[in-house]
Amino acid sequence: MAPRHFLTLLDFSPAELDALLDRASELKRGHRAGEDQRRFPGKVLGMVFAKSSTRTRVSFEAGMAQLGGHAMFLSPNDTQLGRGEPIEDSARVISSMVDVVMIRTFGHDIVERFAVSSSVPVINALTDSFHPCQLLADMQTYREHRGSIAGRTVCWVGDGNNMCQSYINAARQFDFELRIACPPGFEPDAALLAANGDRVSVGHDPAAAATGADLLVTDVWASMGQEAEQQDRAKAFAPFQLNAELLTRAAPGALYMHCLPAHRGEEISAGLMDAPDSVIWEEAENRLHAQKALLEALLDSAANA
Ligand code: CP
Ligand code: NVA
């Protein structure tokens, strides 16, 4: 039987995602209480990173160790992946030796092709199109502070990038309204928008999108791979900063998030980043707990297949 993968949020049903977030919070409480969570001795996670990472690498590697297994860092610079070995051949070989694989890369088609040839579950740890693991942490964080996000309004301010597109999928799976405010020309994928037009809208006015929102979210203006566009983007995105003034338009008690790494004074003001009640740091920590719940779900599904 083909293994279960997590390439986008759509790979799990809304009910499965809810259960996963419950489990993530349970694992978090247990971890903080010093619980022994080593359920998967001898299991190995292969981690393929074609782009840089701090949070994703640390959370997957620490998480796998806490679950009793082992994580192996694989970079295209020093594996045959960087010398042109076909993705399909690499997937076949790597998955014959490990129990689960996570991949961070450029084109989303690369993780899809890897998954087709993999005999074990594959996790998308960020592509140019989607970053579903971050959404697990964001949704866990919202729920822990404010309860269910169903029926709420989320405002995305900034680039229509991989994070924004994952918020579009999240709007569907977690049942909220998403208002996107981006500069003209930086909208998310048109087909993805068209498929979610019942709950996702796009405009170019951050203040209008933020009005009454329960959650404001932003991300860098130039993603990994777009470094050469940094300066041009900074001009186009200047009116799209998440700051205290924008937050005053949101609903009382609104939260704000950023997946990090951030540029203080660009997409988010230093004041919000460093506010004592910011949940951004807990959002980052929740990557650990949410991904442990994800690893557990995928390893259990493989064991029961
Ligand atoms: N948010 C996130 O994925 O961070 P890293 O790029 O550091 O992994
Ligand atoms: N949109 C950013 C997210 C980093 C976690 C990027 O792809 O670089």
Side-chain angles (χ1 to χ4, degrees):
M1 208 172 84
R4 184 120 205 232
H5 303 299
F6 185 69
L7 306 189
T8 76
L9 288 175
L10 305 185
D11 286 330
F12 278 46
S13 70
E16 287 172 329
L17 290 169
D18 275 344
L20 201 89
L21 297 192
D22 284 346
R23 180 62 181 149
S25 295
E26 189 177 39
L27 284 164
K28 180 179 182 175
R29 286 190 296 273
H31 179 66
R32 288 182 170 180
E35 184 178 277
D36 185 342
Q37 299 180 328
R38 290 175 293 175
R39 284 196 54 215
F40 298 104
K43 297 292 182 191
V44 178
L45 166 69
M47 305 191 298
V48 179
F49 279 100
K51 289 176 175 170
S52 302
S53 168
T54 297
R55 279 142 289 269
T56 303
R57 180 173 177 186
V58 174
S59 54
F60 268 113
E61 195 161 334
M64 203 59 195
Q66 289 165 16
L67 292 173
H70 177 80
M72 181 191 297
F73 179 75
L74 300 163
S75 156
N77 295 335
D78 37 44
T79 61
Q80 302 291 5
L81 274 164
R83 295 183 59 252
E85 183 168 11
I87 299 293
E88 290 75 9
D89 294 359
S90 303
R92 196 165 162 179
V93 172
I94 292 170
S95 68
S96 74
M97 301 184 200
V98 305
D99 302 283
V100 54
V101 176
M102 62 114 285
I103 311 181
R104 166 169 288 199
T105 189
F106 293 86
H108 192 71
D109 62 304
I110 295 173
V111 293
E112 289 179 332
R113 285 167 55 204
F114 196 104
V116 167
S117 296
S118 174
S119 56
V120 301
V122 175
I123 297 168
N124 173 6
L126 182 148
T127 63
D128 291 343
S129 303
F130 297 106
H131 193 6
C133 290
Q134 183 67 49
L135 263 291
L136 295 181
D138 287 20
M139 295 297 102
Q140 180 188 347
T141 308
Y142 189 88
R143 175 194 282 220
E144 287 177 346
H145 284 267
R146 295 286 183 270
S148 172
I149 201 166
R152 301 283 187 171
T153 300
V154 178
C155 166
W156 176 272
V157 54
D159 193 15
N161 64 9
N162 46 8
M163 275 298 299
C164 177
Q165 297 196 153
S166 289
Y167 263 90
I168 296 176
N169 281 342
R172 169 184 287 259
Q173 298 298 73
F174 293 96
D175 193 21
F176 57 79
E177 180 194 343
L178 176 64
R179 299 188 203 138
I180 298 166
C182 61
F186 295 94
E187 292 82 4
D189 179 73
L192 188 64
L193 281 174
N196 293 282
D198 54 334
R199 59 185 71 235
V200 180
S201 57
V202 184
H204 307 300
D205 180 352
T211 300
D214 301 290
L215 171 64
L216 306 184
V217 198
T218 194
D219 185 15
V220 290
W221 292 339
S223 287
M224 289 181 276
Q226 298 172 331
E227 288 77 6
E229 300 171 32
Q230 176 90 41
Q231 289 196 338
D232 288 345
R233 282 174 169 258
K235 286 191 201 104
F237 281 88
F240 292 81
Q241 186 187 71
L242 178 47
N243 53 33
E245 202 277 321
L246 198 65
L247 192 58
T248 61
R249 308 209 174 237
L255 296 179
Y256 59 89
M257 296 190 190
H258 189 308
C259 65
L260 306 180
H263 297 84
R264 284 174 176 75
E266 292 186 23
E267 76 275 3
I268 187 164
S269 64
L272 288 197
M273 275 295 290
D274 300 321
D277 59 347
S278 163
V279 299
I280 287 175
W281 310 105
E282 192 174 1
E283 176 190 3
E285 181 198 324
N286 280 341
R287 294 290 304 278
L288 171 70
H289 311 298
Q291 285 157 205
K292 282 166 71 180
L294 175 64
L295 287 165
E296 195 178 64
L298 292 175
L299 288 168
D300 280 343
S301 83
N304 296 331

